Each structure stands twice: as C-alpha cells, then as structure tokens.
C-alpha cells in the first residue's frame, strides 16, 4: 500500500544571497533526502514530478531545486544569473539547508543531463556532503556527445534510404565542429539534428499526456512558461561551461559511491559514452543500470524500470551504511 505523503512543501529558501525555489515531497522524515538536479541548463523538472516520481517518495524525501537562472528562481531573481562558480556555491548552500531541515549528515544527489554535469563537478569538490551520487543521462564529454549522436542519426537515415532527411542533415555542414559553442549558428544546427533524432525515435520524447500532467501540476504557473523562454539568455555562462565540458580532463577516481541509470535509446547524451567511462571509475562503490526502451528522459519514459533501479541502489547503500 502506498504511504501517505507527509511532506509536501514549497519554499523560497535564502541561498547564497537570493531566495531560491525548493519543492519537497516525501512520506517519512526517516527516509534519505534526495536532491534532484534538473537538466538544461535552465530546464526546471519540478513541474514533472507527477510524471515519474510517485514511488520514489516511499524510499526518499525528494527535493527539486529550480537553480539560479531557472524556473521560479529566475522569475523571483531575473537579474541574478548563473556562472558555474555561483551555482556550485548555491548547491553547497542548498545542501546545508536540507541537512539542517531534515537533520541529516549527508544528502543523496541525483543529476539529470545538465544536472549530471553539475553533480559530477560538485561531488569532486565536496565529497563529504554526499551519501552517494546517481547520474541519469550522464554527460561525459559534450563534444563527443554531439559527434556520437549525429553519427547515430546519420547511420539510421542511411539504413532507411531516407534521401529527404539526409539532405536536411547535409545542409548543416560539418557538425559539431571542433568545439561546442552555443551561438545562434550552432543552435540552428542542433535544432536540425534534434528534429531528425526525434523522427528516428532517438530524441527527447515528451508526449501530450506528459505536458497535460505538467499543466495540471499543483505548482504550475503561467510565469513558468516565461522562465522557460528565457533559458538561453539567462544561462549563457553555463552553456559556455557546458560546451567545453569533459569529465575525462580529470581522472575517474571518486570519493563517493557512483551509480549511473542510462536509457539504451538515449542518443542525446549517448549512453555508450557513459557506459565506457563507467568502466574506468574508481569509487567506494559503483553500479550501472541500462534501462531498455528509454531515451534521454529516462525516468519519464520507463518510470517502473527506473524505480526498480532506485530500489536496488537504495538497498545496496542501506547495507553499506
């Protein structure tokens, strides 16, 4: 039987000089606290909780944070825009706030897409704050991501003998080039690649029922749409950082347990790259879960299989503690 939701709180917490939005959901104060780092940069996933999160709350208190430059935090602080250093400091302070609020020594960190970049950098800097880290649609190397994702869709187009799509792909010229720069020219190319990835079923899948769930979310406001439209302007500095991001510039030694949950149909942050990198990881404990028939929005596309992976991780870590 599903537990009653005991924890259901929205708050603007004073974090690093500004009030930042946190959304807490859970069924027991005894459960570990999991902080969810959304994608983007700038794509709040606090609005999607009803799509994938119900069962999670039986084993975790899940906290969504609209990062600086994102969602409700952006609407409240339109001129307080992020850099990587500011967001890392914000994250540190959010964790202190949660540790104090729930009387916990450490927090579980889960990062999705851009959140996996932020999470991976953070756990190197502050390993003592984190019980364990879960990377979803884990980004390893941004340039390789785009190369591999482009080559995959090209391969599928060739196999299908789809001349029209091949012409569209060839029209963008060399991709991604020697460096990922999120300028207008590159974004136009990305749009073509993403549309073709979508056509061949390897892009982001967000169907109408998902969006209806978002609009019915108890925390949804019209201003959330306005915030979403400001993503690139508000997060320009983070996109700069993301474009050059490569986890391999450092060794693969971590001081916290590392778990990856990857969709075997994710070619936006291609799972094969993270799978390869995972083999190199040295950590107190590690585990990898490849979810069948799931793409970049892994937890939304296969919520039950995703939850099974979380259950297993939770059990392993309980034993380790």
């Amino acid at each position: 039987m599903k537990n009653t939701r005991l924890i259901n709180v929205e708050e603007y917490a004073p974090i690093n000089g500004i009030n930042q939005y946190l959304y807490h959901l859970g069924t027991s104060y005894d459960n570990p606290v999991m902080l969810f780092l959304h994608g983007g940069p700038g794509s709040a996933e606090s609005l999607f909780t009803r799509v994938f999160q119900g069962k999670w709350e039986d084993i975790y208190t899940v906290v969504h944070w609209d990062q600086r430059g994102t969602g409700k935090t952006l609407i409240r602080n339109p001129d307080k825009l992020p850099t990587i250093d500011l967001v890392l400091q914000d994250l540190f302070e959010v964790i202190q706030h949660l540790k104090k609020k729930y009387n916990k020594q450490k927090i579980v960190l889960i990062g999705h897409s851009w959140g996996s970049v932020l999470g991976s950098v953070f756990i190197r800097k502050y390993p003592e704050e984190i019980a364990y880290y879960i990377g979803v649609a884990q980004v390893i190397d941004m340039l390789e991501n785009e190369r591999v994702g482009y080559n995959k869709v090209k391969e599928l187009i060739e196999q299908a003998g789809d001349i029209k799509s091949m012409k569209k792909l060839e029209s963008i010229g060399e991709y991604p080039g020697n460096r990922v720069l999120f300028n207008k020219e590159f974004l136009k190319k990305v749009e073509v690649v993403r549309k073709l990835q979508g056509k061949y079923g390897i892009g982001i899948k967000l169907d109408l029922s998902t969006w209806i769930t978002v609009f019915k979310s108890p925390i949804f406001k019209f201003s959330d749409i306005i915030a979403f439209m400001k993503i690139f302007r508000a997060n320009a500095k983070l996109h700069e950082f993301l474009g050059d991001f490569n986890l391999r510039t450092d060794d693969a030694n971590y001081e916290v347990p590392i778990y990856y949950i990857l969709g075997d149909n994710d070619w936006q942050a291609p799972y094969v790259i993270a799978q390869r990198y995972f083999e190199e990881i040295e950590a107190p404990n590690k585990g990898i879960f490849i979810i069948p028939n799931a793409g970049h929005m892994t937890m939304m596309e296969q919520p039950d299989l995703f939850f099974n992976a979380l259950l297993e991780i939770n059990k392993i870590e309980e034993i380790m503690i």
Side-chain angles (χ1 to χ4, degrees), residues 84 88 116-126 241 245 247:
I84 187 62
L88 284 167
S116 77
V117 171
L118 180 58
S120 296
V121 174
F122 185 85
I123 59 175
R124 286 194 188 281
K125 197 171 182 183
Y126 301 107
F241 174 81
F245 181 73
L247 262 183

PDB file of all heavy atoms in Angstrom, residues 84 88 116-126 241 245 247:
ATOM      1  N   ILE A  84      29.187  28.997 -13.338  1.00  0.00           N
ATOM      2  CA  ILE A  84      29.403  27.683 -12.725  1.00  0.00           C
ATOM      3  C   ILE A  84      29.818  27.828 -11.257  1.00  0.00           C
ATOM      4  O   ILE A  84      29.359  27.081 -10.387  1.00  0.00           O
ATOM      5  CB  ILE A  84      30.412  26.814 -13.528  1.00  0.00           C
ATOM      6  CG1 ILE A  84      30.492  25.389 -12.954  1.00  0.00           C
ATOM      7  CG2 ILE A  84      31.779  27.465 -13.616  1.00  0.00           C
ATOM      8  CD1 ILE A  84      29.219  24.584 -12.986  1.00  0.00           C
ATOM      9  N   LEU A  88      27.663  26.239  -8.135  1.00  0.00           N
ATOM     10  CA  LEU A  88      28.294  25.279  -7.215  1.00  0.00           C
ATOM     11  C   LEU A  88      28.156  25.753  -5.769  1.00  0.00           C
ATOM     12  O   LEU A  88      27.882  24.951  -4.867  1.00  0.00           O
ATOM     13  CB  LEU A  88      29.771  25.079  -7.576  1.00  0.00           C
ATOM     14  CG  LEU A  88      30.034  24.208  -8.807  1.00  0.00           C
ATOM     15  CD1 LEU A  88      31.482  24.349  -9.264  1.00  0.00           C
ATOM     16  CD2 LEU A  88      29.703  22.734  -8.544  1.00  0.00           C
ATOM     17  N   SER A 116      23.661  16.249 -14.344  1.00  0.00           N
ATOM     18  CA  SER A 116      24.737  15.266 -14.155  1.00  0.00           C
ATOM     19  C   SER A 116      26.112  15.914 -14.304  1.00  0.00           C
ATOM     20  O   SER A 116      27.099  15.428 -13.746  1.00  0.00           O
ATOM     21  CB  SER A 116      24.586  14.100 -15.146  1.00  0.00           C
ATOM     22  OG  SER A 116      25.004  14.442 -16.455  1.00  0.00           O
ATOM     23  N   VAL A 117      26.169  17.007 -15.060  1.00  0.00           N
ATOM     24  CA  VAL A 117      27.416  17.782 -15.168  1.00  0.00           C
ATOM     25  C   VAL A 117      27.672  18.486 -13.838  1.00  0.00           C
ATOM     26  O   VAL A 117      28.739  18.346 -13.233  1.00  0.00           O
ATOM     27  CB  VAL A 117      27.322  18.817 -16.322  1.00  0.00           C
ATOM     28  CG1 VAL A 117      28.510  19.769 -16.308  1.00  0.00           C
ATOM     29  CG2 VAL A 117      27.209  18.114 -17.666  1.00  0.00           C
ATOM     30  N   LEU A 118      26.665  19.211 -13.373  1.00  0.00           N
ATOM     31  CA  LEU A 118      26.781  19.938 -12.106  1.00  0.00           C
ATOM     32  C   LEU A 118      27.081  18.982 -10.954  1.00  0.00           C
ATOM     33  O   LEU A 118      27.965  19.229 -10.130  1.00  0.00           O
ATOM     34  CB  LEU A 118      25.473  20.705 -11.855  1.00  0.00           C
ATOM     35  CG  LEU A 118      25.393  21.539 -10.579  1.00  0.00           C
ATOM     36  CD1 LEU A 118      26.495  22.591 -10.522  1.00  0.00           C
ATOM     37  CD2 LEU A 118      24.013  22.200 -10.462  1.00  0.00           C
ATOM     38  N   GLY A 119      26.361  17.861 -10.917  1.00  0.00           N
ATOM     39  CA  GLY A 119      26.548  16.879  -9.842  1.00  0.00           C
ATOM     40  C   GLY A 119      27.939  16.276  -9.845  1.00  0.00           C
ATOM     41  O   GLY A 119      28.569  16.127  -8.792  1.00  0.00           O
ATOM     42  N   SER A 120      28.446  15.950 -11.041  1.00  0.00           N
ATOM     43  CA  SER A 120      29.771  15.317 -11.154  1.00  0.00           C
ATOM     44  C   SER A 120      30.886  16.267 -10.712  1.00  0.00           C
ATOM     45  O   SER A 120      31.872  15.838 -10.107  1.00  0.00           O
ATOM     46  CB  SER A 120      30.021  14.850 -12.592  1.00  0.00           C
ATOM     47  OG  SER A 120      29.098  13.853 -12.947  1.00  0.00           O
ATOM     48  N   VAL A 121      30.729  17.544 -11.036  1.00  0.00           N
ATOM     49  CA  VAL A 121      31.727  18.537 -10.612  1.00  0.00           C
ATOM     50  C   VAL A 121      31.645  18.726  -9.093  1.00  0.00           C
ATOM     51  O   VAL A 121      32.661  18.781  -8.401  1.00  0.00           O
ATOM     52  CB  VAL A 121      31.505  19.883 -11.347  1.00  0.00           C
ATOM     53  CG1 VAL A 121      32.432  20.967 -10.816  1.00  0.00           C
ATOM     54  CG2 VAL A 121      31.714  19.719 -12.861  1.00  0.00           C
ATOM     55  N   PHE A 122      30.412  18.793  -8.579  1.00  0.00           N
ATOM     56  CA  PHE A 122      30.207  19.046  -7.149  1.00  0.00           C
ATOM     57  C   PHE A 122      30.784  17.938  -6.278  1.00  0.00           C
ATOM     58  O   PHE A 122      31.431  18.212  -5.256  1.00  0.00           O
ATOM     59  CB  PHE A 122      28.713  19.224  -6.851  1.00  0.00           C
ATOM     60  CG  PHE A 122      28.446  19.598  -5.422  1.00  0.00           C
ATOM     61  CD1 PHE A 122      28.493  20.923  -5.019  1.00  0.00           C
ATOM     62  CD2 PHE A 122      28.172  18.622  -4.472  1.00  0.00           C
ATOM     63  CE1 PHE A 122      28.272  21.272  -3.693  1.00  0.00           C
ATOM     64  CE2 PHE A 122      27.949  18.955  -3.148  1.00  0.00           C
ATOM     65  CZ  PHE A 122      28.002  20.295  -2.755  1.00  0.00           C
ATOM     66  N   ILE A 123      30.550  16.679  -6.647  1.00  0.00           N
ATOM     67  CA  ILE A 123      30.986  15.582  -5.770  1.00  0.00           C
ATOM     68  C   ILE A 123      32.508  15.464  -5.701  1.00  0.00           C
ATOM     69  O   ILE A 123      33.046  14.905  -4.741  1.00  0.00           O
ATOM     70  CB  ILE A 123      30.347  14.228  -6.157  1.00  0.00           C
ATOM     71  CG1 ILE A 123      30.691  13.823  -7.590  1.00  0.00           C
ATOM     72  CG2 ILE A 123      28.856  14.259  -5.916  1.00  0.00           C
ATOM     73  CD1 ILE A 123      30.182  12.441  -7.999  1.00  0.00           C
ATOM     74  N   ARG A 124      33.193  15.997  -6.697  1.00  0.00           N
ATOM     75  CA  ARG A 124      34.663  16.052  -6.610  1.00  0.00           C
ATOM     76  C   ARG A 124      35.102  17.123  -5.613  1.00  0.00           C
ATOM     77  O   ARG A 124      36.074  16.962  -4.889  1.00  0.00           O
ATOM     78  CB  ARG A 124      35.269  16.389  -7.973  1.00  0.00           C
ATOM     79  CG  ARG A 124      35.223  15.259  -8.971  1.00  0.00           C
ATOM     80  CD  ARG A 124      36.153  15.608 -10.120  1.00  0.00           C
ATOM     81  NE  ARG A 124      36.053  14.680 -11.230  1.00  0.00           N
ATOM     82  CZ  ARG A 124      36.630  13.486 -11.270  1.00  0.00           C
ATOM     83  NH1 ARG A 124      37.311  13.050 -10.232  1.00  0.00           N
ATOM     84  NH2 ARG A 124      36.508  12.726 -12.334  1.00  0.00           N
ATOM     85  N   LYS A 125      34.350  18.217  -5.609  1.00  0.00           N
ATOM     86  CA  LYS A 125      34.722  19.365  -4.773  1.00  0.00           C
ATOM     87  C   LYS A 125      34.310  19.176  -3.310  1.00  0.00           C
ATOM     88  O   LYS A 125      35.035  19.569  -2.400  1.00  0.00           O
ATOM     89  CB  LYS A 125      34.054  20.623  -5.351  1.00  0.00           C
ATOM     90  CG  LYS A 125      34.655  21.918  -4.859  1.00  0.00           C
ATOM     91  CD  LYS A 125      34.108  23.115  -5.630  1.00  0.00           C
ATOM     92  CE  LYS A 125      34.783  24.388  -5.135  1.00  0.00           C
ATOM     93  NZ  LYS A 125      34.284  25.594  -5.765  1.00  0.00           N
ATOM     94  N   TYR A 126      33.133  18.573  -3.114  1.00  0.00           N
ATOM     95  CA  TYR A 126      32.593  18.421  -1.749  1.00  0.00           C
ATOM     96  C   TYR A 126      32.122  16.986  -1.485  1.00  0.00           C
ATOM     97  O   TYR A 126      30.941  16.762  -1.182  1.00  0.00           O
ATOM     98  CB  TYR A 126      31.406  19.373  -1.537  1.00  0.00           C
ATOM     99  CG  TYR A 126      31.718  20.838  -1.724  1.00  0.00           C
ATOM    100  CD1 TYR A 126      31.262  21.529  -2.850  1.00  0.00           C
ATOM    101  CD2 TYR A 126      32.447  21.549  -0.766  1.00  0.00           C
ATOM    102  CE1 TYR A 126      31.528  22.876  -3.022  1.00  0.00           C
ATOM    103  CE2 TYR A 126      32.717  22.894  -0.924  1.00  0.00           C
ATOM    104  CZ  TYR A 126      32.254  23.548  -2.058  1.00  0.00           C
ATOM    105  OH  TYR A 126      32.513  24.887  -2.228  1.00  0.00           O
ATOM    106  N   PHE A 241      30.228  27.005 -20.264  1.00  0.00           N
ATOM    107  CA  PHE A 241      30.908  25.972 -19.476  1.00  0.00           C
ATOM    108  C   PHE A 241      30.571  24.578 -20.012  1.00  0.00           C
ATOM    109  O   PHE A 241      31.451  23.729 -20.188  1.00  0.00           O
ATOM    110  CB  PHE A 241      30.494  26.097 -18.006  1.00  0.00           C
ATOM    111  CG  PHE A 241      31.034  24.994 -17.126  1.00  0.00           C
ATOM    112  CD1 PHE A 241      32.327  25.049 -16.639  1.00  0.00           C
ATOM    113  CD2 PHE A 241      30.252  23.889 -16.814  1.00  0.00           C
ATOM    114  CE1 PHE A 241      32.836  24.017 -15.843  1.00  0.00           C
ATOM    115  CE2 PHE A 241      30.745  22.863 -16.023  1.00  0.00           C
ATOM    116  CZ  PHE A 241      32.038  22.931 -15.536  1.00  0.00           C
ATOM    117  N   PHE A 245      32.701  21.113 -21.596  1.00  0.00           N
ATOM    118  CA  PHE A 245      32.769  20.142 -20.509  1.00  0.00           C
ATOM    119  C   PHE A 245      33.283  18.790 -20.979  1.00  0.00           C
ATOM    120  O   PHE A 245      32.847  18.251 -22.000  1.00  0.00           O
ATOM    121  CB  PHE A 245      31.384  19.952 -19.877  1.00  0.00           C
ATOM    122  CG  PHE A 245      31.371  18.977 -18.741  1.00  0.00           C
ATOM    123  CD1 PHE A 245      31.917  19.314 -17.518  1.00  0.00           C
ATOM    124  CD2 PHE A 245      30.825  17.707 -18.892  1.00  0.00           C
ATOM    125  CE1 PHE A 245      31.921  18.411 -16.461  1.00  0.00           C
ATOM    126  CE2 PHE A 245      30.814  16.798 -17.848  1.00  0.00           C
ATOM    127  CZ  PHE A 245      31.368  17.157 -16.629  1.00  0.00           C
ATOM    128  N   LEU A 247      34.510  15.308 -18.649  1.00  0.00           N
ATOM    129  CA  LEU A 247      34.883  14.654 -17.380  1.00  0.00           C
ATOM    130  C   LEU A 247      36.257  14.008 -17.460  1.00  0.00           C
ATOM    131  O   LEU A 247      36.914  13.804 -16.444  1.00  0.00           O
ATOM    132  CB  LEU A 247      33.864  13.573 -17.017  1.00  0.00           C
ATOM    133  CG  LEU A 247      32.757  13.917 -16.021  1.00  0.00           C
ATOM    134  CD1 LEU A 247      31.908  12.691 -15.733  1.00  0.00           C
ATOM    135  CD2 LEU A 247      33.317  14.469 -14.719  1.00  0.00           C
TER     136      LEU A 247
END
